[in-house]
Amino acid sequence: MSKPFVDIRHAAKKFGELEVLHDISMQIGKGEIVAIIGPSGSGKSTLLRAINDLDPLSSGEVWLEDMQVNKALPPRQYEKHINQVRQDIGMVFQHFNLFPHLTVRGNITLAPKMLKGISDAEANALAEEQLKRVGLLERIDYYPSQLSGGQKQRVAIARALAMKPKVMLFDEATSALDPELVEEVNQVMKQLAEEHMTMIIVTHEMGFAESVCDRVVFMDGGYVVEEGPPEVLFRNPSHERTRNFLRKHLQGQS
Amino acid sequence: MGLDFTVLPKFIDQLLLGSMWTVAITVSAAVLSFFGGIFLAVVVLYAPKLVSLPFRVFSWLFMGTPLLLQLFLIYFGLIELGVDLPAFVAGVIGLGLHFAVYNSDIIQAGIKAVDTGQYEGARTLGLSKLQTLRKVVVPQAVRAVVPPIGNNMIALLKDSALVSVIGVTELTLSSQLAISKTFRPFEFYLAAAACYYVINLGLEAGLRRIERRIQTAR
């Protein structure tokens, strides 16, 4: 692999006595799409949330290109630094976290207007462009409460994309959705994959991970147990724990 | 001698003028108490302990002492310190600050009730703490607490009668002046009560409109 785009070096995290991440290192290349799977409590969400320093690490480093994300700085400088870095790291949450008091347009234009100093007209054009990407242009003046779960998540993706991020993080983006709404969100993510967006995806959906991702990472108990291309990890896993997890999971799904 | 409402028409202008002053005081104090309440809530919750201390003390004092006394202090007390406020201004400041403290309590509860996901959603986009508060958290908190704040505003309208004691010729003082000329307390106090009731109906209608407008945006 060429120079890593996202570089996690010896990431460790403790909550008091409890170690939720044990010395994890991981490199992700530009345009690569990585799925992180594992049982709940395995630390996969914690690792993902460490990438934009939403859950700060106890030790270790996270780099995005030539910039250390979790730089140790005095509070004021850190605040400036992290707000700058986070503009390059889009994140999509399980529960969407749309702003309910703003319309779809307001949700998408808020951050670009405040942080990039663009005009209302430019912001509107940006919102329309991103909504077209997720197929929801006709909902631009709706409030989140007027949308279905799948639509909310697509708007949340459009909101993140409007910042023109270098990498997108997905934290169980489809876990809170009714089964019939999952596909429309998966479609949008597939489309991003085809556009070679760098993506790190925490997911429970093995089928999606297998069809879209370049690499799958299996975590358990705060360790990376094994990783590899999806066809290897899903068809022929080398660790007992991976086999157990996949067996249980596939039973649950059928 | 029975009730005699025929004395009212001669003083109707006076009562209407008093009603206008009551509305003016209520609206001005309501605006002050609303924005003052937001300011207090944010300072108490987010400012460093040392910065917020004077505001906490201010809140305790305003919540722990009678509004009537506060009006006396602001109007008569401040004169001794060389601050000679017009009675209307003193009344608005007294009522406004008093209810700002109550509003602040409600808004603090509203802010605490905003889901952590809202902070995370805003911060991951790159918004600063202050931008997140201003554009995401406070607007939602305020929308959530419109009904209890509305109740405070109705209480404010009725408590505006207290500013009659510092000589603002609002509705209550207007009716008292009419009584002093006619010696008809029952008729004029009833008439004043009716005026308060009508103003209150208008206020409630306004509050309901606001509540309806923000319903989808929550």
Side-chain angles (χ1 to χ4, degrees), chain A residues 206-234:
Chain A
M206 304 307 146
F208 179 76
E210 184 166 6
S211 65
V212 172
C213 298
D214 304 311
R215 178 157 49 122
V216 180
V217 176
F218 172 67
M219 285 182 68
D220 193 11
Y223 292 94
V224 170
V225 176
E226 94 175 83
E227 60 179 304
E231 57 275 15
V232 176
L233 195 125
F234 285 124

Side-chain angles (χ1 to χ4, degrees), chain A residues 131-150:
Chain A
L131 281 173
K132 258 184 226 157
R133 263 172 110 172
V134 301
L136 281 174
L137 185 55
E138 76 283 3
R139 294 284 190 270
I140 192 164
D141 288 315
Y142 283 49
Y143 282 95
S145 62
Q146 298 167 314
L147 303 177
S148 73

Side-chain angles (χ1 to χ4, degrees), chain A residues 23-253:
Chain A
D23 189 25
I24 291 177
S25 291
M26 193 185 288
Q27 283 79 40
I28 292 137
K30 190 169 163 63
E32 197 183 6
I33 297 156
V34 176
I36 306 177
I37 61 170
S40 51
S42 59
K44 56 191 192 303
S45 276
T46 310
L47 180 66
L48 189 79
R49 290 161 59 90
I51 294 175
N52 62 1
D53 215 29
L54 211 52
D55 272 346
L57 293 171
S58 307
S59 64
E61 294 176 4
V62 178
W63 290 73
L64 174 65
E65 289 186 296
D66 298 323
M67 175 79 85
Q68 185 179 352
V69 175
N70 60 343
K71 231 190 258 180
L73 290 168
R76 232 168 252 236
Q77 286 172 43
Y78 167 80
E79 169 87 5
K80 264 189 88 171
H81 157 79
I82 198 69
N83 292 337
Q84 197 62 45
V85 174
R86 281 178 179 156
Q87 295 186 32
D88 291 333
I89 309 176
M91 186 160 197
V92 175
F93 301 86
Q94 184 177 1
H95 295 290
F96 329 125
N97 298 351
L98 290 178
F99 308 133
H101 62 300
L102 300 176
T103 60
V104 167
R105 185 198 305 273
N107 267 277
I108 298 174
T109 56
L110 177 67
K113 273 206 280 202
M114 297 207 74
L115 302 172
K116 300 197 165 169
I118 62 176
S119 69
D120 283 1
E122 286 169 310
N124 275 329
L126 184 65
E128 285 168 16
E129 176 196 333
Q130 298 308 329
L131 281 173
K132 258 184 226 157
R133 263 172 110 172
V134 301
L136 281 174
L137 185 55
E138 76 283 3
R139 294 284 190 270
I140 192 164
D141 288 315
Y142 283 49
Y143 282 95
S145 62
Q146 298 167 314
L147 303 177
S148 73
Q151 291 172 336
K152 282 182 195 170
Q153 196 59 296
R154 285 149 70 195
V155 170
I157 293 172
R159 179 176 74 177
L161 290 174
M163 292 303 288
K164 310 273 158 97
K166 294 174 178 167
V167 51
M168 286 282 285
L169 312 177
F170 292 86
D171 192 2
E172 302 197 19
T174 55
S175 296
L177 296 176
D178 291 336
E180 74 271 20
L181 302 177
V182 168
E183 192 46 36
E184 58 183 275
V185 175
N186 281 347
Q187 278 307 325
V188 170
M189 289 167 69
K190 268 183 198 156
Q191 183 191 321
L192 285 179
E194 281 156 20
E195 295 166 16
H196 303 291
M197 171 65 81
T198 309
M199 299 200 274
I200 305 170
I201 303 169
V202 167
T203 185
H204 285 296
E205 283 191 72
M206 304 307 146
F208 179 76
E210 184 166 6
S211 65
V212 172
C213 298
D214 304 311
R215 178 157 49 122
V216 180
V217 176
F218 172 67
M219 285 182 68
D220 193 11
Y223 292 94
V224 170
V225 176
E226 94 175 83
E227 60 179 304
E231 57 275 15
V232 176
L233 195 125
F234 285 124
R235 301 285 163 236
N236 194 13
S238 50
H239 283 261
E240 185 57 33
R241 275 150 92 186
T242 318
R243 276 195 288 273
N244 277 338
F245 171 76
L246 289 173
R247 192 161 50 235
K248 274 186 206 148
H249 215 86
L250 295 175
Q251 273 169 5
Q253 275 186 340

